[in-house]
Amino acid sequence: MPVLTRLIPSPVVVDIRPGALNDLAGVLADQRISSSGKLAIAISGGSGAVLRERLAPALPSAEWFEVDGGTLDDAIKLADAMKKKGRYDAVVGLGGGKIIDCAKFAAARVGLPLVAVATNLSHDGLCSPVATLDNDAGRGSYGVPNPIAVVIDLDIIREAPVRFVRSGIGDALSNISAVRDWELAARERGEDIDGLAAAMARQAGEAVLRHPGGVGDDAFLQVLAEGLVLTGIAMSVSGDSRPASGACHEINHAFDLLFPKRAASHGEQCGLGAAFAMHLRGAREESAYMAQVLRRHGLPVLPEEIGFTVDEFVQVVEYAPQTRPGRYTILEHLDLSTDQIRDAYADYAKTIGS
Ligand SMILES: [Zn+2]
């Protein structure tokens, strides 16, 4: 008997709109995620305080937990504190990437579902089955269940610094390059490609690429937020980060590893990496269009725009394949020498124009 369909691991609630946070308790009650309102809410001590003050009256049965940072220790501490305090229906991670990653890990540890309430759109991890946490060895990715609910209040997103929205744009656009790398690996190496995961990730990237709006418009933010959520679900579908991570992310990791003190944001590096990777694979027009869109949103397309020299960028690209052993992308495929990378970069810079 053939398998006729498959079930997709995905949140029960996806609520993305202006004012979504005002109805949080009601949405969770309606969906039977928390009928009693007994929630363990993880929030940052700093920027979270204002939100807590605003939301606390509407969530009288909730318990609030301050999270210090984004380390594995912080996540374990959070889980231990929740265990000591009492019983809850669900854990709510209310904040940016670090808080949500900590809450994801803690929720998995105490065996409760996670509600992700993102207060910025800096990357596609807000709805993914991975918690990224700093540990003694640097940074680790920990597999966790997908959030049961994702809530994004566009009013809150607009209040966050614009660099967070820009970072999310770069991360979303990089899907287009990542999926092309996946197709290359399928062609050249016989790697399995999950067509559904690839479709979701690519459509998310294309929608952001072609949307005429800007970082201050609700219509654009809606598409960006939905794109990042769908990208997280695409990673759940494929069971790894393939749909959203190829040469673009190898270049991003190489920036982080070679220049830890000077690295730019995740999405700035991924966007630049994606535009360059598109050029490397011969998609010159697509690369130039992607660069034009990145520029329009205030994102860098040349290394000097984030404070790196051409030599440093060449070094980054050369080192990039080592950051993800076993992942086959356009970088591994071309296996360029230092001089070839330098020539390719000169051609890229000329093609996209300054
Ligand atoms: Zn990313």
Side-chain angles (χ1 to χ4, degrees), residues 124 171 249 266 270:
D124 58 25
D171 206 17
H249 277 61
H266 178 80
C270 290

Side-chain angles (χ1 to χ4, degrees), residues 122-125 170-172 174-175 231 235 244-245 248-249 252 266-267 270:
S122 57
H123 58 71
D124 58 25
D171 206 17
S174 77
N175 289 5
T231 304
M235 289 191 260
S245 165
C248 47
H249 277 61
N252 163 65
H266 178 80
C270 290

Side-chain angles (χ1 to χ4, degrees), residues 130-152:
V130 175
T132 306
L133 297 164
D134 291 335
N135 56 31
D136 293 339
R139 185 162 288 178
S141 297
Y142 302 88
V144 294
N146 224 47
I148 194 169
V150 177
V151 176
I152 303 176

